Amino acid sequence: MQVPDSLKIHPSWYSVLAPEFKKRYMRELREFLQQEKQAGKNIFPPAAQIFNAFNSTPFDQVKVVILGQDPYHGAGQAHGLCFSVMPGVRLPPSLKNIYKEMETDLGIAVPDHGCLQPWAEQGVLLLNATLTVEESKAGAHQGRGWERFTDAAVHALAEQREGLVFILWGSYAQKKGGFIDDRRHLVLKGPHPSPLSAHRGFFGTRPFSQANAYLQSRGEAPINWALPPSGALQRVAVEI
């Protein structure tokens, strides 16, 4: 299926989600974003990176799904992957806690950056429920249609694929993924890694080793959760 030139989304995902792009809510969402830009508002991530999660992790290569809520709303932070920031950007608090759990779980040293692009390229779909946000206004684009679009993506994975790992941190992600059949997929639930909730049981959940053990039990290659040093990621800032 041919992807329209105006859409920067991987063909594998377009073949699954093409009907969504033709629906009224997506037309209204595009009009809303155009109006916001014409009004001089800064929208994150940059347009070319809005579908980065889909472009970095093609539909048939998804192994693990991590659900987030909103892109970061500070300048230079968001690049289309949930919990991830561009190289050189200060680590957000939730990501710091994710790294702490990774270190405890797998013995992997905390990286010197917050760019999760290498995870995405191995099959970890880092999907926010809302794919855009206005600068300095968290949640500004909630309820505009993105949630319906990303629901369609999660439904497609849950129904058309088998043996995936869904990591659902916090009540929002757990509600969004509440329909997933845990007889067909591994569903890992836990508190959100935010400093406001991580102390309620996020630490010690060991999601990384659990995900890899499940993948290996199905004959799949595990995810290499160790991230290369920031110096090796300079290409990311140029390519995405």
Side-chain angles (χ1 to χ4, degrees):
M1 185 176 292
Q2 185 67 34
V3 182
D5 291 340
S6 60
L7 277 178
K8 307 299 182 184
I9 191 169
H10 194 274
S12 67
W13 276 106
Y14 184 72
S15 67
V16 172
L17 298 173
E20 299 302 310
F21 287 104
K22 300 172 184 177
K23 292 179 180 178
R24 178 177 177 179
Y25 82 90
M26 281 299 284
R27 292 197 301 270
E28 293 176 346
L29 175 57
R30 283 194 294 269
E31 291 170 0
F32 165 73
L33 292 173
Q34 288 170 356
Q35 291 168 0
E36 293 292 279
K37 291 178 181 178
Q38 290 170 1
K41 296 179 180 179
N42 291 327
I43 306 301
F44 300 135
Q49 297 172 8
I50 290 174
F51 295 111
N52 188 26
F54 298 100
N55 292 326
S56 298
T57 316
F59 182 79
D60 57 347
Q61 295 178 28
V62 175
K63 294 181 177 181
V64 179
V65 181
I66 299 178
L67 294 180
Q69 189 166 358
D70 256 22
Y72 296 118
H73 54 82
Q77 289 183 302
H79 65 108
L81 305 179
C82 72
F83 295 108
S84 180
V85 292
M86 291 293 287
V89 176
R90 184 178 179 180
L91 291 183
S94 292
L95 185 55
K96 285 183 179 180
N97 286 336
I98 291 170
Y99 282 172
K100 287 179 183 177
E101 177 61 17
M102 183 176 71
E103 183 177 31
T104 300
D105 188 6
L106 300 175
I108 294 173
V110 174
D112 64 349
H113 61 87
C115 182
L116 306 182
Q117 188 73 31
W119 290 2
E121 293 173 0
Q122 293 181 73
V124 182
L125 182 69
L126 297 163
L127 183 64
N128 276 316
T130 305
L131 300 188
T132 58
V133 71
E134 182 181 345
E135 183 175 14
S136 302
K137 292 188 178 181
H141 292 180
Q142 291 179 6
R144 293 287 181 172
W146 279 129
E147 295 92 340
R148 185 172 169 182
F149 178 78
T150 53
D151 278 349
V154 177
H155 270 277
L157 286 167
E159 294 168 4
Q160 297 180 33
R161 298 286 311 281
E162 193 160 340
L164 304 183
V165 181
F166 289 86
I167 298 177
L168 309 178
W169 287 324
S171 59
Y172 185 91
Q174 288 165 26
K175 182 178 179 181
K176 190 173 183 69
F179 64 89
I180 298 167
D181 187 348
D182 59 9
R183 295 168 297 182
R184 295 183 60 188
H185 306 283
L186 177 64
V187 181
L188 301 176
K189 300 178 181 180
H192 195 277
S194 162
L196 298 175
S197 56
H199 65 281
R200 298 175 188 160
F202 171 77
F203 296 114
T205 52
R206 307 183 76 87
F208 307 101
S209 60
Q210 287 193 72
N212 278 353
Y214 179 77
L215 292 172
Q216 289 176 297
S217 75
R218 295 181 55 84
E220 299 266 5
I223 303 298
N224 178 11
W225 297 102
L227 292 164
S230 57
L233 286 174
Q234 294 308 307
R235 65 176 183 84
V236 172
V238 175
E239 291 180 0
I240 66 173

